[in-house]
């Protein structure tokens, strides 16, 4: 598979603190890459850098480069708005707007330009189906999104990203507060989503990474320790620190 992202010597500084340390990592198109590690490993920062959500913080300094489809995301002619449409993000805590389910998912489409009712309905249905939520809400799309369960809210947030027709979906520990049934539904969705999207996942635990990943990158204190297929990293890691983390000796 071709690379969707190529991260080259990326270092990220917040004030005087280095959060990511000279990271080199390739992310392939249409794969699920899990980036895992203990707290303060720089994983959320990495995800937020891939669609330049960190731009709003003036205390940030970035060195190195990130190429998407061969072009730097920091190039002067790059539209950050368009980048964020192509690279959508689902956060750890569900963030429904105080609107109906339908309007939550259609919101970005309407902000992005004029869209007819028929097209909006088609895009919303497509997004809900892809996020494995359609059967549960198809007859109540106009109820408040806040009335959904936590797991349903998180799948709705995934659907909201999908509706914008991205190329990449960043998912930051989106199952951390969910029950096992809701987690299983989201994981089932992920295996189907990679047919259409590249997925970069910060899993909420090692077991989730084992279940869903094509490839895995293990980070520790802002540095990449090792990366490879899930089978290799989980079954025969090259670095003892990876083995220690996977087996629960630290983290």
């Amino acid at each position: 598979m071709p690379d969707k992202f190529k991260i080259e010597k990326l270092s990220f500084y917040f004030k005087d603190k280095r959060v990511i340390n000279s990271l080199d990592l390739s992310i392939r198109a249409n794969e699920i890459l899990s980036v895992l590690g203990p707290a303060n490993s720089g994983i959320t920062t990495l995800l937020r850098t891939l669609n330049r959500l960190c731009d709003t913080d003036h205390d940030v300094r970035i060195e190195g480069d990130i190429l998407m489809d061969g072009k730097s995301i920091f190039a002067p002619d790059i539209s950050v708005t368009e980048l964020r449409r192509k690279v959508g993000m689902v956060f750890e805590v569900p963030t429904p707007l105080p609107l109906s389910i339908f309007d939550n998912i259609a919101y970005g489409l309407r902000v992005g330009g004029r869209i007819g009712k028929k097209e909006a309905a088609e895009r919303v249905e497509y997004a809900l189906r892809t996020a494995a939520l359609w059967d549960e809400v198809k007859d109540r799309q106009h109820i408040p999104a806040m009335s959904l369960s936590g797991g349903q809210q998180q799948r709705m947030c995934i659907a909201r990203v999908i509706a914008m027709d991205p190329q990449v979906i960043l998912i930051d520990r989106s199952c951390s507060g969910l029950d096992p049934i809701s987690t299983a539904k989201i994981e089932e969705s992920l295996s189907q989503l990679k047919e259409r999207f590249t997925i970069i996942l910060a899993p909420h635990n090692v077991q989730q990474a084992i279940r869903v990943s094509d490839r895995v990158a293990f980070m520790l204190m802002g540095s990449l320790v090792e990366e490879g297929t899930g089978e290799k990293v989980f079954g025969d890691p090259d670095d003892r620190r990876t083995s220690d983390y996977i087996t629960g000796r630290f983290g």
Side-chain angles (χ1 to χ4, degrees):
M1 293 182 184
D3 289 340
K4 174 55 70 172
F5 283 110
K6 189 171 181 61
I7 302 169
E8 300 177 336
K9 297 287 184 286
L10 179 71
S11 290
F12 184 102
Y13 298 85
F14 179 73
K15 297 183 177 179
D16 295 328
K17 181 182 180 182
R18 184 163 61 182
V19 181
I20 297 176
N21 178 29
S22 194
L23 175 66
D24 287 309
L25 181 65
S26 294
I27 301 169
R28 298 166 189 163
N30 298 100
E31 74 170 352
I32 299 177
L33 172 72
S34 284
V35 187
L36 72 161
N40 301 314
S41 290
I43 295 169
T44 294
T45 299
L46 173 61
L47 266 59
R48 290 173 60 87
T49 304
L50 289 172
N51 70 350
R52 292 183 54 177
L53 279 178
C54 294
D55 281 14
T56 56
D57 197 322
H58 300 298
D59 293 316
V60 160
R61 178 166 58 90
I62 294 173
E63 298 174 353
D65 206 356
I66 300 174
L67 306 180
M68 181 177 178
D69 296 327
K71 181 170 182 175
S72 172
I73 68 170
F74 303 113
D77 61 338
I78 286 289
S79 164
V80 177
T81 300
E82 180 64 13
L83 174 68
R84 290 174 185 162
R85 188 196 66 76
K86 291 180 179 178
V87 186
M89 187 161 183
V90 181
F91 298 94
E92 180 174 359
V93 177
T95 54
L97 301 169
L99 302 168
S100 69
I101 298 168
F102 182 94
D103 287 337
N104 260 269
I105 297 169
Y107 181 83
L109 300 173
R110 292 166 175 163
V111 169
R114 296 188 64 176
I115 183 170
K117 290 184 178 180
K118 181 180 178 182
E119 183 181 356
E122 290 172 349
R123 293 278 288 275
V124 169
E125 179 176 344
Y126 157 75
L128 287 169
R129 285 188 183 278
T130 307
L133 189 56
W134 174 254
D135 289 342
E136 296 169 45
V137 303
K138 62 183 178 182
D139 297 323
R140 51 194 186 111
Q141 295 178 59
H142 297 288
I143 67 169
M146 299 287 192
S147 66
L148 295 173
S149 70
Q152 289 173 326
Q153 286 186 21
Q154 197 60 286
R155 280 182 285 150
M156 188 203 70
C157 290
I158 293 173
R160 192 167 61 198
V161 170
I162 291 169
M164 297 300 295
D165 195 26
Q167 299 175 17
V168 179
I169 302 177
L170 312 173
I171 302 179
D172 189 8
R173 298 178 178 87
S174 63
C175 298
S176 59
L178 303 184
D179 61 89
I181 294 175
S182 296
T183 297
K185 288 183 177 180
I186 289 177
E187 290 178 1
E188 183 180 352
S189 299
L190 294 181
S191 64
Q192 299 171 7
L193 291 176
K194 74 171 186 176
E195 297 177 6
R196 303 177 185 179
F197 312 104
T198 300
I199 298 171
I200 305 165
L201 171 71
H204 77 286
N205 57 33
V206 171
Q207 289 71 32
Q208 183 177 59
I210 291 171
R211 290 192 295 266
V212 305
S213 307
D214 297 307
R215 289 196 312 125
V216 176
F218 173 59
M219 292 181 65
L220 185 62
M221 300 300 290
S223 295
L224 179 66
V225 175
E226 67 177 290
E227 59 91 12
T229 64
E231 182 180 8
K232 176 68 173 69
V233 172
F234 293 125
D236 185 25
D238 293 327
D239 194 293
R240 181 171 179 176
R241 292 171 294 176
T242 309
S243 176
D244 287 347
Y245 179 73
I246 290 169
T247 55
R249 294 189 179 94
F250 75 91

